[in-house]
Amino acid sequence: MRNTKHQEAVLNFLKEAEKAVTADQIREGISEKINKTTVYRMLDRFVEADKVHFVTGQDGKAYYALCQHQHNSKENHLHNHLHFQCNQCGKVECLPEKIQVPRLKEYHVEETQLLLIGTCKRCKI
Ligand SMILES: [Zn+2]
Ligand SMILES: [Zn+2]
Ligand SMILES: [Zn+2]
């Protein structure tokens, strides 16, 4: 039961974050006390359940965000929307802009991590 409450807390945090967040940011942002391993295990499970996806930031950390779409199958769980990381404030966002992922005959694509790096609208003065 405790576990369900934790899962809800994490999912709610992701829903309200309006940006992609690291496991540490999740732990700091929720009132429930959850240890690091549990958070990572939970996030892995969400990714497998196609609820959440992540992109690896410049700092090597995984930034997680809720999936905004319904996935019909594992095969379709490819994200073609872009992500943006600001090199001033470090914020990572999912962008609505999509790119065409090319079909590669000789390769099987399992994951996409599309990250643009630059200055976000708040840091761009
Ligand atoms: Zn997804
Ligand atoms: Zn910024
Ligand atoms: Zn995204």
Side-chain angles (χ1 to χ4, degrees), residues 27-40:
R27 287 179 67 225
E28 284 159 22
I30 60 178
S31 48
E32 314 278 327
K33 285 250 176 293
I34 317 180
N35 73 51
K36 210 169 183 155
T37 324
T38 311
V39 172
Y40 276 113

Side-chain angles (χ1 to χ4, degrees), residues 6-25:
H6 287 172
Q7 286 192 22
E8 270 168 28
V10 171
L11 283 174
N12 269 333
F13 183 77
L14 286 166
K15 200 181 287 173
E16 270 147 40
E18 287 179 343
K19 58 174 184 173
V21 290
T22 63
D24 286 335
Q25 289 171 330

Side-chain angles (χ1 to χ4, degrees), residues 56-111:
T56 308
Q58 267 186 306
D59 47 14
K61 289 181 183 164
Y63 286 79
Y64 296 88
L66 276 191
C67 287
Q68 299 295 345
H69 45 187
Q70 294 287 324
H71 296 298
N72 351 330
S73 76
K74 199 74 193 162
E75 293 297 307
N76 286 344
H77 200 192
L78 281 185
H79 299 95
N80 61 350
H81 66 270
L82 293 168
H83 296 86
F84 193 95
Q85 182 163 36
C86 175
N87 54 22
Q88 309 280 318
C89 66
K91 184 175 169 182
V92 177
E93 298 168 82
C94 290
L95 300 181
E97 282 80 7
K98 291 179 179 165
I99 68 155
Q100 180 87 42
V101 180
R103 288 195 180 279
L104 305 169
K105 259 192 219 150
E106 326 238 331
Y107 301 90
H108 175 60
V109 181
E110 287 170 0
E111 199 178 296

